[in-house]
Amino acid sequence: MTGGVSIQIPSQMLPADGRFGSGPSRVPQRALERLAEEGLSYMGTSHRRPTVRRVVGRVREGMTALFGLPDGYEVLLGNGGATAFWDSAAFGLIERVSQHLSFGVFSSKFAQAVVGAPHLDSPEVIEAEAGAHPLPRPSDRIDLYALTHNETSTGVTMPVSRVEGAGLTVVDATSAAGGMTIRPDQYDIYYFSPQKAFGGDGGLYVALCSPKAVERVERIAASGRWIPPFLSLAKALSDSRKDQTYNTPALATIHLLAGNVEWMLEQGGLAWSSQHCAQNARILYGWAEAHPLASPFVTDPAMRSQVSGTIDFEPEVSANLIASVLRDNGVVDTESYPALRRNQLRIGLWPSIPRSDIEALLACIDYVIEALSV
Ligand SMILES: *Cc1c(COP(=O)(O)O)cnc(C)c1O
């Protein structure tokens, strides 16, 4: 029952899997089964010993292959997710001034993490209204440009290309990585968490680092600046080189990620996963454009996300009500990002979501709208 509304969607209409969240995203059954199968010899064993370190090694090798990393690029792992990476960057990556493209909840959080750091100047923050993205403004003052490949809160995607000059191009790819193609020569750091396009669990970050980024990390660490050890990228780098993390990681997170990155490679790598997500996105946005009561929130088609789609609804239908009816029927996490305060649904389009589930979800939404209007 949802505020007095009880609508039962016919079971044959429901998607095979009801999880459509934009993060955490659905974890595939095959990954959970493999964890259960291998769990007795893996979970609860030392992260400093070969059993676990081999799995960390598979994550690092898998990422190197998936993203086509050239020689000299390194795969760094740390605890705490993308959010911890922001604090680590404030201590160990920004030399003096960073420039942040802020166009949603996540991109603005990185900027906020830097404001007030006593060893840094105030960051430059370039904003765009929700539903669009700004562009970087190259400047000699700036030593780090903070870009976001996909702003998950609004469903806006931006092209990633290296900003000219000496500054590092550092890209929050938390929701883009694994669902969009990217060229390694276009970034210095491409960082993400496993619970979005990789269909894993949270608590970990992965940062793909160019030689220029590695040099910056090592130089700042050697400069004598005070850096909390847990947030030290230099420590994360030296531990990652040994297939370890500074402190105990969530072993299940690492196991799920290793299996999922290998699965993605077997399917055809980033070219495959990006095409898969683009097709899911075409179905979603095509449906919304044709619908009298729905429309894509992002008006510029080039900025529309292919991993997390945002759909606005006309005032006569409540997106929150649709989401809660879906939830009552086991179809979960289609709610929009609360801070946006829009009459909107947000739908994950991830590599682990088959086209048939997107089609079934849209049929269910049509069914609910129909049922609500009688
Ligand atoms: C989810 C998300 C984050 C935060 O990731 P955590 O793992 O929760 O720290 C940061 N940036 C973007 C773009 C995200 O989608």
Side-chain angles (χ1 to χ4, degrees):
M1 287 281 282
T2 301
V5 182
S6 170
I7 293 169
Q8 197 172 356
I9 302 172
S11 58
Q12 71 275 13
M13 286 183 73
L14 292 170
D17 188 318
R19 297 170 294 171
F20 289 93
S22 293
S25 66
R26 61 173 67 175
V27 178
Q29 186 169 344
R30 94 188 114 64
L32 293 169
E33 281 169 357
R34 189 161 166 200
L35 178 61
E37 275 161 29
E38 296 172 7
L40 284 180
S41 59
Y42 173 81
M43 293 297 294
T45 72
S46 170
H47 60 295
R48 309 270 178 229
R49 299 291 160 194
T51 306
V52 173
R53 285 169 67 179
R54 265 198 295 269
V55 183
V56 174
R58 280 169 48 205
V59 170
R60 298 179 69 232
E61 282 157 29
M63 293 300 171
T64 303
L66 188 72
F67 290 96
L69 299 184
D71 278 354
Y73 276 59
E74 301 206 45
V75 181
L76 199 150
L77 270 77
N79 286 321
T83 304
F85 182 84
W86 295 329
D87 289 336
S88 298
F91 277 105
L93 203 57
I94 302 170
E95 222 150 76
R96 189 115 224 138
V97 198
S98 50
Q99 183 183 93
H100 300 257
L101 303 192
S102 173
F103 54 109
V105 174
F106 293 110
S107 46
S108 70
K109 277 189 182 170
F110 186 9
Q112 286 155 22
V114 171
V115 171
H119 55 286
L120 301 177
D121 290 351
S122 291
E124 270 183 32
V125 180
I126 305 176
E127 296 192 35
E129 78 272 25
H133 68 75
L135 289 170
R137 295 193 198 123
S139 154
D140 290 341
R141 279 185 75 228
I142 301 298
D143 60 76
L144 183 148
Y145 297 90
L147 277 51
T148 302
H149 200 177
N150 185 76
E151 176 46 83
T152 327
S153 64
T154 56
V156 170
T157 204
M158 69 172 290
V160 169
S161 55
R162 183 186 284 283
V163 184
E164 65 194 59
L168 299 178
T169 300
V170 174
V171 185
D172 180 351
T174 303
S175 55
M180 300 178 72
T181 53
I182 181 73
R183 280 175 38 190
D185 59 351
Q186 297 303 318
Y187 59 79
D188 290 299
I189 298 192
Y190 197 69
Y191 64 93
F192 48 91
S193 306
Q195 76 278 15
K196 310 266 167 112
F198 283 102
D201 206 0
L204 188 79
Y205 70 77
V206 177
L208 315 177
C209 301
S210 75
K212 189 171 153 187
V214 170
E215 188 270 336
R216 173 78 65 89
V217 163
E218 290 177 336
R219 182 155 42 83
I220 291 182
S223 72
R225 181 190 284 180
W226 179 71
I227 298 176
F230 176 72
L231 295 174
S232 164
L233 292 171
K235 285 193 193 300
L237 190 59
S238 62
D239 283 313
S240 296
R241 284 171 178 161
K242 292 179 277 181
D243 291 332
Q244 296 189 43
T245 46
Y246 180 60
N247 65 319
T248 316
L251 300 190
T253 294
I254 288 170
H255 188 280
L256 294 171
L257 182 56
N260 287 341
V261 69
E262 286 165 359
W263 173 82
M264 213 177 267
L265 281 163
E266 284 159 20
Q267 305 304 302
L270 277 192
W272 170 84
S273 63
S274 176
Q275 272 169 26
H276 177 91
C277 294
Q279 186 185 50
N280 280 347
R282 268 196 303 278
I283 294 167
L284 174 69
Y285 296 127
W287 170 87
E289 280 175 328
H291 201 290
L293 295 171
S295 54
F297 166 51
V298 178
T299 46
D300 181 349
M303 294 189 191
R304 279 178 201 156
S305 173
Q306 64 176 40
V307 285
S308 58
T310 42
I311 302 299
D312 274 353
F313 286 84
E314 296 298 322
E316 53 261 51
V317 38
S318 158
N320 280 342
L321 194 51
I322 298 174
S324 46
V325 170
L326 290 171
R327 184 172 287 283
D328 290 346
N329 283 270
V331 177
V332 303
D333 299 341
T334 60
E335 289 87 357
S336 69
Y337 206 90
L340 271 186
R341 300 175 172 281
R342 293 191 69 91
N343 190 27
Q344 183 175 95
L345 294 181
R346 187 174 60 140
I347 293 162
L349 303 166
W350 310 114
S352 58
I353 302 187
R355 170 195 181 139
S356 54
D357 275 0
I358 297 291
E359 288 167 341
L361 170 67
L362 298 176
C364 288
I365 294 174
D366 278 330
Y367 183 91
V368 174
I369 293 176
E370 181 75 29
L372 286 172
S373 66
V374 291

